[in-house]
Amino acid sequence: LRFGTPLLVQDVEHVDPILNSVLNKETHKQGGRVLITVGDQDIDFSPMFTMFLATRDPTAVFTPDLCSRVTFVNFTVTPSSLQNQCMNLVLKSERPDVDKKRSDMLKLQGEFRVKLRELEDGLLQALSNVQGNILDDESVISSMENLKKQAEQVQREAAQTDTVMEEIERVSDTYAPLSQAAARVFFSLEQLGSVYFLYQHSLQFFLDIFNDALKDEALAKVPREDYSGRLAVIFQELFKIAFRRTSRGLLYKDRLVFALRLAQVSADSAGDIDDAAGANTAGNGNLGNA
């Protein structure tokens, strides 16, 4: 507090009321000094002081009172975030052309939003500078007409990117069942901790499995243009590699439990993979013209 050194508090399950004055930054001045009261002591307070509270418990619940006084950063892996991460990895590996177009379109859409915001700010600035009757100020009328034309042009360009994004999303949806199945495999690995407390697997461990499935030797036998065939191979290899690599650290009796869980995930996702492969075969030709 006195010297402005960052403070990291780990494994926070609850916050002691003694920290309320620090969280609220309830400072007061005394003889040119900036003080803060902690417990029954007045301590010099540096404006550079920062405190980080961290917990490894994903089920931790904090009161609304605390939430209003701190900035929350949630690093917990969620199914949707992991699906997006797996989607990005598979597109970069299997469809780099689609991934590049996707990134470019997202960048363009962001630029268009910024441009529209700048035009809106420019319009508000022009209106705020009006003196007298707005209809008598020719410079304001001319400025508003120019802003209107620019906004219409930006909106037309944004509409064109939306059309291309729809085509890209249709191709990306082909790999959605694979990314969903991959996310379910990861959370199956996490649930092994409830079987035996030593079964702990990191996100990086799973991502290594997924990347190895994307680079498996079996893919060398399938042409790059056979997207549906390569999708089926990646799907199969993902479960094979996940079981082989994970079962090494499992007790023999627990290997069957894990195998049954993987079989359940595979069976639930197999139909979606087949449907996506069929849709991919039917709709591959459109993106090249977009």
Side-chain angles (χ1 to χ4, degrees):
L1 288 170
R2 182 178 295 112
F3 300 108
T5 305
L7 174 64
L8 172 63
V9 185
Q10 294 182 314
D11 297 325
V12 176
E13 304 302 333
H14 67 279
V15 178
D16 195 288
I18 197 173
L19 292 177
N20 285 340
S21 60
V22 179
L23 296 175
N24 295 333
K25 294 186 177 180
E26 297 173 355
T27 60
H28 57 277
K29 293 185 178 181
Q30 180 178 337
R33 298 164 59 193
V34 179
L35 303 174
I36 190 169
T37 302
V38 180
D40 56 355
Q41 296 182 3
D42 286 340
I43 303 173
D44 290 285
F45 180 78
S46 169
M48 300 298 293
F49 174 74
T50 307
M51 181 167 60
F52 300 92
L53 308 175
T55 179
R56 290 178 291 182
D57 182 7
T59 63
V61 178
F62 299 100
T63 63
D65 177 55
L66 176 64
C67 296
S68 65
R69 292 180 292 170
V70 300
T71 300
F72 269 89
V73 181
N74 188 357
F75 292 101
T76 304
V77 179
T78 63
S80 59
S81 66
L82 185 55
Q83 287 173 22
N84 290 333
Q85 193 169 354
C86 292
M87 176 71 77
N88 291 335
L89 290 174
V90 72
L91 285 178
K92 286 180 181 179
S93 176
E94 292 299 301
R95 300 297 298 269
D97 56 329
V98 175
D99 182 66
K100 186 178 184 305
K101 284 186 178 181
R102 185 166 173 254
S103 300
D104 293 343
M105 289 300 105
L106 290 174
K107 182 179 178 181
L108 276 177
Q109 287 182 334
E111 292 175 353
F112 289 149
R113 292 191 188 98
V114 172
K115 188 69 179 294
L116 285 173
R117 182 61 182 270
E118 291 175 350
L119 293 174
E120 291 174 357
D121 292 342
L123 176 60
L124 293 175
Q125 183 66 29
L127 292 175
S128 65
N129 293 333
V130 172
Q131 296 179 356
N133 191 341
I134 186 174
L135 298 178
D136 297 335
D137 195 330
E138 295 183 359
S139 63
V140 174
I141 298 298
S142 176
S143 176
M144 291 177 63
E145 290 178 352
N146 290 332
L147 290 173
K148 182 180 178 182
K149 291 178 181 178
Q150 293 179 31
E152 291 175 349
Q153 181 180 357
V154 171
Q155 287 177 346
R156 284 195 298 270
E157 294 175 349
Q160 293 176 358
T161 62
D162 289 340
T163 302
V164 177
M165 278 300 295
E166 289 177 1
E167 295 290 339
I168 293 173
E169 289 301 326
R170 275 198 286 271
V171 176
S172 300
D173 287 345
T174 303
Y175 299 95
L178 174 62
S179 62
Q180 292 169 1
R184 293 183 65 185
V185 170
F186 169 73
F187 287 104
S188 298
L189 291 173
E190 274 206 330
Q191 291 169 358
L192 283 175
S194 62
V195 177
Y196 189 56
F197 73 96
L198 288 179
Y199 296 158
Q200 302 295 329
H201 301 89
S202 66
L203 176 61
Q204 189 58 52
F205 173 80
F206 166 75
L207 291 178
D208 289 341
I209 292 175
F210 191 72
N211 282 318
D212 287 346
L214 295 175
K215 301 173 184 176
D216 193 81
E217 294 178 355
L219 288 171
K221 303 175 183 178
V222 185
R224 293 288 301 183
E225 296 76 17
D226 187 2
Y227 302 122
S228 58
R230 293 178 66 87
L231 176 62
V233 170
I234 295 171
F235 181 76
Q236 293 174 1
E237 293 304 317
L238 171 63
F239 288 91
K240 290 180 181 178
I241 297 172
F243 180 76
R244 284 200 304 263
R245 199 163 297 179
T246 307
S247 61
R248 299 170 187 167
L250 303 181
L251 296 172
Y252 184 79
K253 64 178 182 179
D254 295 331
R255 292 181 184 180
L256 180 59
V257 176
F258 183 57
L260 288 173
R261 175 56 183 162
L262 289 182
Q264 180 186 20
V265 174
S266 176
D268 291 343
S269 306
D272 294 333
I273 291 290
D274 292 339
D275 293 342
N280 186 34
T281 302
N284 267 334
N286 296 330
L287 186 62
N289 302 323

